[in-house]
Amino acid sequence: MNRWNIQEIAFYGIGDRRRTLKFDIGKVNVITGASGTGKSAIIDAIDYCLGSKECKLPFFVRNHAEAVAVHWVQGSRDLIVGRKIPKAGSGTSQMYVRTGRHLKLPAASAGLEGPTNRDVARALIEKAFGIQDAEDPVISLKSEKGRATVRDIPPYLFLSGDVIVSRETLLHDLNRPKKAPDIKATIPYFLGAVDQASVLAARVLRQLEAALTKIEREAAAKARSQSLLTERSMALLTQAQEIGLVVELPSPSAPDAVLLDQLAGVAGRGVASTDMRDSEARAVLEEDRRTIVSELQTLRGKRQMLRQTIRDAAGYETAVSAQSHKLRLVDHMKLDDGRCPVCESQNDVGQAMAEKIRSSLSIITREALAVDGIRPHLNDHFEEIESLIASKYNRLREIEAQLSGLVRVGEELGTLGSILQERARVVGRIDQFLETTAKDFQVASTDTAMLVSRIEDLKEQVDPQARRERLRDAENMVSAFATEMLTDLPTEVPATGSRVVFSSTPSLSLVEPSRRAVLAMAEIGSDQNYLAIHLALSFSLQKLFETIKAPVPGLLVIDQISRPYYPKGGDEKRLQEMEKDDDQVAMKQIVRFLFDETARQTGLQVILIEHAYIEEDPEYVAAVKGRWTKASGEKLIPSDWPVRN
């Protein structure tokens, strides 16, 4: 056996009491009985020992059992996972994990070995199952979107009571808002679309991209600071020129170091400089201001046109993408068999129609690729325009500051009446600026060339196009498996004869055979149909996992396949208690499917929790591991167990 199965589940009570459930490896195992005997708690126990944060075990179990342990086996390998049961509240943090060969469950909870905390326990289970995408155990313990953990495998192991006939929920826990994002994020990993290396590369890529974003954000802040330094330096130099301390203003594009050196020269010479005022300085600045205002108007017009172009491209891309997704269903229309896709007859008109459909698909594909290629260039050009506008605004502020300085100097000269006094004031301002403000803006630049190069290398390694192709291949495989399995299960119109279309979003739809209408889950109707669909999907996913050697145990725990045929609650049911003969036939067909499909898949184990006891089927009777009926008084937790203190 090359997949993990469950050999035993043990519940421990006080006084060294132990209740053990034993299961056959690679086969169907059945536990039947009355409601309220604790059958459904088997799912809760397995989930709890897979490191769930919550403990969903029912009150009676919590009140009488102090620990639970699950014994997993894979060939000669053993994995025993135990956990203390709280009397109330969330799950306990203490767990027990032991791996090895020829291990056995202890007789009492005190014998559980390998005590550890929940996070480390989960990491050890992941290592045993093969859910490893990082060698660093510290990294593997971190919770990160897109990283698969042992908490992401229950949707593929359990067909619980709230899912098995649901018209809305496709997988276990998918209806829980806190769990759904993790299921959707990790399903590509379990479907084999990404491997361990690409998962790690994607994680490092996200970290480096975040680091680059931070550096760029800090660089932008520094650039703003440098712009302010330039603005203030030019304003002081303009004032110095106006009162004859500077012969000629430097270029506004001069490096800050040049500006600071010139200011230092003015401060060093003091007030003894010769009057070198340039009466045309204000006129030149006014002309520069008019030019920049005109350029800003032109750039803003270009930005508005480019923003509209990007918006139109995005809308077109969305429309093309939606149309492409709809036309994916044409993959199931067998356009290459030479028959008309509408009437299925063999004729030239049908072949021509099929050719037109293929041509349409090709056109849509090319248009989608064209949009994908144009969008980055549009975005880059938009960013260039934004950068130019920001640069022009910065220069405009510098000019206005210089003009304000000239005006202020003129006013102050009229008030002070002394050129020497004004020179002394300007030199004082420059000294204070150089001693305090300028030092705050002196920052070192960061070279991001190596970081950018590393990011580009990782993008090539992650290869999103190859990921999409592998994901689509897995979707097609599951769809084909499920379509074939659906024919072996009892269904009603419109599910009868329909093709299954599975998507990793995850979602599922049917293409009904008469009109080839595409039906969402909510449109299908009938508990019997929903039961068949969930069974077909669960077994199909397990078949894919077996094929691609995914790190998912070969286990399906199914809570009551007889839900569409028996009323809720009550004692163990017999086949003859079904009101309709058709229901009895359907029930037998489902049971046959379970045994036959389990036998066809290597290493698959099924634990069936049922009300029905089908004594007419010898294989079913042989698979029964417990009959917890009202007459026998047998339960998951014996009634004579004492209450915990």
Short mmCIF file of all heavy atoms in Angstrom, two decimals, residues 245-266:
data_model
loop_
_atom_site.label_atom_id
_atom_site.label_comp_id
_atom_site.label_asym_id
_atom_site.label_seq_id
_atom_site.Cartn_x
_atom_site.Cartn_y
_atom_site.Cartn_z
N LEU A 245 25.18 88.20 -3.30
CA LEU A 245 26.09 87.21 -2.72
C LEU A 245 26.44 86.10 -3.71
O LEU A 245 27.38 85.33 -3.48
CB LEU A 245 25.47 86.59 -1.46
CG LEU A 245 25.30 87.55 -0.27
CD1 LEU A 245 24.56 86.84 0.86
CD2 LEU A 245 26.65 88.06 0.22
N VAL A 246 25.68 85.96 -4.80
CA VAL A 246 25.90 84.92 -5.81
C VAL A 246 25.88 85.56 -7.18
O VAL A 246 25.00 86.39 -7.48
CB VAL A 246 24.81 83.82 -5.73
CG1 VAL A 246 24.97 82.82 -6.87
CG2 VAL A 246 24.89 83.12 -4.38
N VAL A 247 26.89 85.21 -8.01
CA VAL A 247 26.96 85.78 -9.36
C VAL A 247 25.86 85.22 -10.24
O VAL A 247 25.14 85.96 -10.92
CB VAL A 247 28.34 85.49 -9.98
CG1 VAL A 247 28.41 86.01 -11.41
CG2 VAL A 247 29.44 86.09 -9.14
N GLU A 248 25.72 83.90 -10.25
CA GLU A 248 24.77 83.25 -11.16
C GLU A 248 24.16 82.04 -10.47
O GLU A 248 24.85 81.28 -9.79
CB GLU A 248 25.48 82.81 -12.45
CG GLU A 248 24.55 82.20 -13.48
CD GLU A 248 25.31 81.80 -14.75
OE1 GLU A 248 26.55 82.03 -14.81
OE2 GLU A 248 24.66 81.25 -15.66
N LEU A 249 22.85 81.83 -10.67
CA LEU A 249 22.17 80.67 -10.06
C LEU A 249 22.58 79.40 -10.79
O LEU A 249 22.72 79.39 -12.03
CB LEU A 249 20.66 80.84 -10.14
CG LEU A 249 20.03 81.86 -9.19
CD1 LEU A 249 18.53 81.97 -9.48
CD2 LEU A 249 20.25 81.45 -7.74
N PRO A 250 22.73 78.29 -10.05
CA PRO A 250 23.01 77.01 -10.72
C PRO A 250 21.77 76.49 -11.43
O PRO A 250 20.65 76.98 -11.20
CB PRO A 250 23.41 76.09 -9.55
CG PRO A 250 22.69 76.66 -8.37
CD PRO A 250 22.66 78.15 -8.58
N SER A 251 21.96 75.48 -12.27
CA SER A 251 20.82 74.86 -12.94
C SER A 251 19.92 74.15 -11.93
O SER A 251 20.43 73.53 -10.98
CB SER A 251 21.31 73.84 -13.98
OG SER A 251 20.24 73.05 -14.46
N PRO A 252 18.59 74.21 -12.10
CA PRO A 252 17.69 73.50 -11.17
C PRO A 252 17.91 72.00 -11.16
O PRO A 252 17.54 71.31 -10.20
CB PRO A 252 16.30 73.84 -11.71
CG PRO A 252 16.48 75.09 -12.50
CD PRO A 252 17.86 75.00 -13.09
N SER A 253 18.49 71.46 -12.24
CA SER A 253 18.75 70.02 -12.31
C SER A 253 20.10 69.64 -11.72
O SER A 253 20.49 68.47 -11.76
CB SER A 253 18.67 69.54 -13.75
OG SER A 253 19.64 70.21 -14.55
N ALA A 254 20.82 70.62 -11.18
CA ALA A 254 22.12 70.32 -10.59
C ALA A 254 21.96 69.42 -9.38
O ALA A 254 20.97 69.51 -8.64
CB ALA A 254 22.81 71.63 -10.18
N PRO A 255 22.92 68.51 -9.13
CA PRO A 255 22.84 67.64 -7.95
C PRO A 255 22.77 68.45 -6.66
O PRO A 255 23.28 69.57 -6.58
CB PRO A 255 24.13 66.80 -8.03
CG PRO A 255 24.57 66.90 -9.45
CD PRO A 255 24.12 68.25 -9.94
N ASP A 256 22.14 67.86 -5.66
CA ASP A 256 22.02 68.54 -4.38
C ASP A 256 23.39 68.87 -3.78
O ASP A 256 23.53 69.89 -3.10
CB ASP A 256 21.22 67.67 -3.40
CG ASP A 256 19.75 67.60 -3.78
OD1 ASP A 256 19.26 68.57 -4.41
OD2 ASP A 256 19.10 66.59 -3.45
N ALA A 257 24.38 68.02 -4.03
CA ALA A 257 25.72 68.27 -3.49
C ALA A 257 26.28 69.58 -4.02
O ALA A 257 26.97 70.34 -3.30
CB ALA A 257 26.64 67.10 -3.84
N VAL A 258 26.01 69.89 -5.32
CA VAL A 258 26.49 71.14 -5.91
C VAL A 258 25.82 72.33 -5.26
O VAL A 258 26.46 73.34 -4.94
CB VAL A 258 26.23 71.13 -7.44
CG1 VAL A 258 26.56 72.50 -8.05
CG2 VAL A 258 27.07 70.04 -8.11
N LEU A 259 24.49 72.21 -5.03
CA LEU A 259 23.76 73.29 -4.39
C LEU A 259 24.27 73.54 -2.98
O LEU A 259 24.45 74.69 -2.55
CB LEU A 259 22.26 72.97 -4.36
CG LEU A 259 21.58 72.72 -5.71
CD1 LEU A 259 20.09 72.44 -5.51
CD2 LEU A 259 21.77 73.90 -6.65
N LEU A 260 24.48 72.45 -2.25
CA LEU A 260 24.97 72.60 -0.87
C LEU A 260 26.38 73.19 -0.83
O LEU A 260 26.70 74.00 0.06
CB LEU A 260 24.94 71.24 -0.16
CG LEU A 260 23.54 70.65 0.09
CD1 LEU A 260 23.65 69.25 0.68
CD2 LEU A 260 22.74 71.55 1.01
N ASP A 261 27.22 72.80 -1.79
CA ASP A 261 28.58 73.37 -1.85
C ASP A 261 28.52 74.88 -2.10
O ASP A 261 29.29 75.66 -1.50
CB ASP A 261 29.39 72.69 -2.96
CG ASP A 261 29.86 71.30 -2.56
OD1 ASP A 261 29.82 71.00 -1.34
OD2 ASP A 261 30.25 70.53 -3.44
N GLN A 262 27.62 75.29 -3.00
CA GLN A 262 27.52 76.72 -3.30
C GLN A 262 26.99 77.49 -2.08
O GLN A 262 27.44 78.60 -1.80
CB GLN A 262 26.61 76.94 -4.51
CG GLN A 262 26.68 78.37 -5.05
CD GLN A 262 26.18 78.46 -6.48
OE1 GLN A 262 25.86 77.46 -7.10
NE2 GLN A 262 26.14 79.68 -7.02
N LEU A 263 26.02 76.90 -1.38
CA LEU A 263 25.53 77.54 -0.16
C LEU A 263 26.63 77.65 0.89
O LEU A 263 26.76 78.67 1.59
CB LEU A 263 24.34 76.75 0.40
CG LEU A 263 23.00 76.90 -0.33
CD1 LEU A 263 21.99 75.90 0.22
CD2 LEU A 263 22.47 78.32 -0.23
N ALA A 264 27.44 76.59 0.99
CA ALA A 264 28.56 76.61 1.95
C ALA A 264 29.56 77.70 1.59
O ALA A 264 30.14 78.37 2.47
CB ALA A 264 29.24 75.25 1.99
N GLY A 265 29.77 77.93 0.27
CA GLY A 265 30.66 78.98 -0.17
C GLY A 265 30.15 80.36 0.22
O GLY A 265 30.92 81.24 0.65
N VAL A 266 28.82 80.56 0.06
CA VAL A 266 28.22 81.84 0.45
C VAL A 266 28.38 82.07 1.94
O VAL A 266 28.77 83.18 2.40
CB VAL A 266 26.72 81.88 0.06
CG1 VAL A 266 26.05 83.13 0.63
CG2 VAL A 266 26.58 81.84 -1.46
#
